[in-house]
Amino acid sequence: MTAHETPASAGPRLLGPADVRSLAARLALRPTKQRGQNFVIDPNSVRRIVRAAGLAETGETVLEVGPGLGSLTLALLADGHRVTAIEIDPLLAGALPDTIATYAPAQADRLTVVLADAMTVTSEQIGAPDACVANLPYNVAVPVLLHLLSIAPTIRHGLVMVQSEVADRLAAPPGSRTYGIPSAKAAWYADVRRAGPVGRQIFWPAPNVDSGLVGFERREPPATEASREEVFAVIDAAFSQRRKTVRSALARWCPDREVLDEVLRAAGVDSGARGEVLGIADFARIAGVRAQMPGPDPVSP
């Protein structure tokens, strides 16, 4: 880029540290921990994230959460995709279209900004995205991801950046030390994998925690006569008392011990096993068997 070229005349250009700080200064923006505002300032890192997402070369409609100043948004647009960006901050939501028009004018018409909370955004607001690629707000990463997967069945795959420990939990298999509620509920929707670490130095301001990438591929949930909510209630109950046997942990969910024993037998689950070793198919069978039995509804934990 020559000294006489502007971002608009040079075509798509990604944000570096100076760009990010300049945009923040122009908006008088002070990043807040409350909204998990840590902005990516390294162009190579956003290129790596887009490559790792495995998006189609023909272009996809990508759902992004918390686009902030537009670092990842620009990389997605530059790679030929459409972006639907959910932003809770009115200041950032209002500024993003102007930033894209300046740094990627030819791609500006492929951006849609939705001013909303990702925890409560509706399917009507986001349309039918093909993928989700996002730097998720770390304090609400798991509920946001689960909510988006529940309201947008068209999302076939994706890659999200989260706190490193959360990445471990989301991708953990049954029986592992970090396996728990996030792992089991994410497995209802998709096959989830760890996709690599992310250094603190790529953010401004630098967070006090390590980050990691999590990739996922949508698949059909396990067959069951129960609803997703009923299956999730079993998961919540099973992990409400870690290290307890599944028979003990599910006692509040199904107070009648004889009925509970019958449910576990019919589901093929060892009553002496711990919830930490059960997979999503096990939880689905437990909920499915109970859903077909007469008597009072199970109690939510």
Side-chain angles (χ1 to χ4, degrees):
M1 185 173 179
T2 69
H4 300 290
E5 287 179 313
T6 66
S9 64
R13 185 165 72 87
L14 304 187
L15 302 180
D19 300 299
V20 170
R21 290 185 173 88
S22 174
L23 288 169
R26 192 180 311 159
L27 297 172
L29 174 68
R30 293 186 176 181
T32 69
K33 288 184 178 181
Q34 181 184 3
R35 290 181 173 171
Q37 292 175 329
N38 299 95
F39 304 115
V40 180
I41 58 175
D42 179 37
N44 289 329
S45 293
V46 290
R47 290 190 188 100
R48 172 195 164 204
I49 291 168
V50 174
R51 284 196 305 270
L55 302 173
E57 292 184 5
T58 53
E60 300 192 45
T61 299
V62 180
L63 186 67
E64 184 185 5
V65 178
L69 293 168
S71 298
L72 181 57
T73 315
L74 282 163
L76 288 165
L77 292 170
D79 209 45
H81 307 289
R82 302 185 69 88
V83 176
T84 298
I86 306 171
E87 178 56 64
I88 192 173
D89 188 320
L91 179 67
L92 293 173
L96 186 59
D98 289 339
T99 300
I100 302 305
T102 299
Y103 285 82
Q107 287 75 31
D109 64 341
R110 291 197 266 117
L111 170 70
T112 300
V113 179
V114 178
L115 177 60
D117 184 343
M119 292 275 286
T120 57
V121 70
T122 66
S123 55
E124 290 77 18
Q125 289 175 290
I126 63 175
D130 304 303
C132 177
V133 181
N135 173 19
L136 294 180
Y138 286 7
N139 55 337
V140 291
V142 170
V144 163
L145 180 60
L146 294 177
H147 175 64
L148 296 177
L149 288 172
S150 72
I151 68 165
T154 57
I155 294 177
R156 296 178 292 105
H157 62 154
L159 187 80
V160 294
M161 184 157 44
V162 296
Q163 185 175 336
S164 185
E165 292 178 359
V166 173
D168 289 338
R169 289 199 290 271
L170 282 169
S176 64
R177 183 178 57 83
T178 52
Y179 182 69
I181 291 175
S183 330
K185 289 185 177 180
W188 170 266
Y189 298 102
D191 292 316
V192 184
R193 70 186 189 281
R194 256 297 211 149
V198 178
R200 301 183 186 190
Q201 72 280 0
I202 75 164
F203 297 99
W204 173 78
N208 296 321
V209 296
D210 293 321
S211 305
L213 298 175
V214 173
F216 64 88
E217 294 285 339
R218 170 90 69 167
R219 57 170 171 72
E220 288 297 315
T224 178
E225 297 297 322
S227 66
R228 182 187 72 236
E229 291 78 12
E230 289 170 325
V231 175
F232 281 14
V234 175
I235 293 171
D236 290 335
F239 288 99
S240 64
Q241 301 180 68
R242 292 186 75 94
R243 300 182 181 85
K244 293 280 190 179
T245 66
V246 67
R247 186 175 187 266
S248 296
L250 294 182
R252 273 192 65 191
W253 171 75
C254 183
D256 189 320
R257 289 300 182 103
E258 290 186 4
V259 172
L260 179 56
D261 288 340
E262 184 180 346
V263 168
L264 295 175
R265 278 196 303 272
V269 173
D270 180 359
S271 62
R274 294 181 302 169
E276 295 95 307
V277 303
L278 302 184
I280 186 59
D282 299 311
F283 293 121
R285 286 198 307 276
I286 292 171
V289 169
R290 183 64 185 87
Q292 297 180 81
M293 295 175 65
D297 290 337
V299 178
S300 297

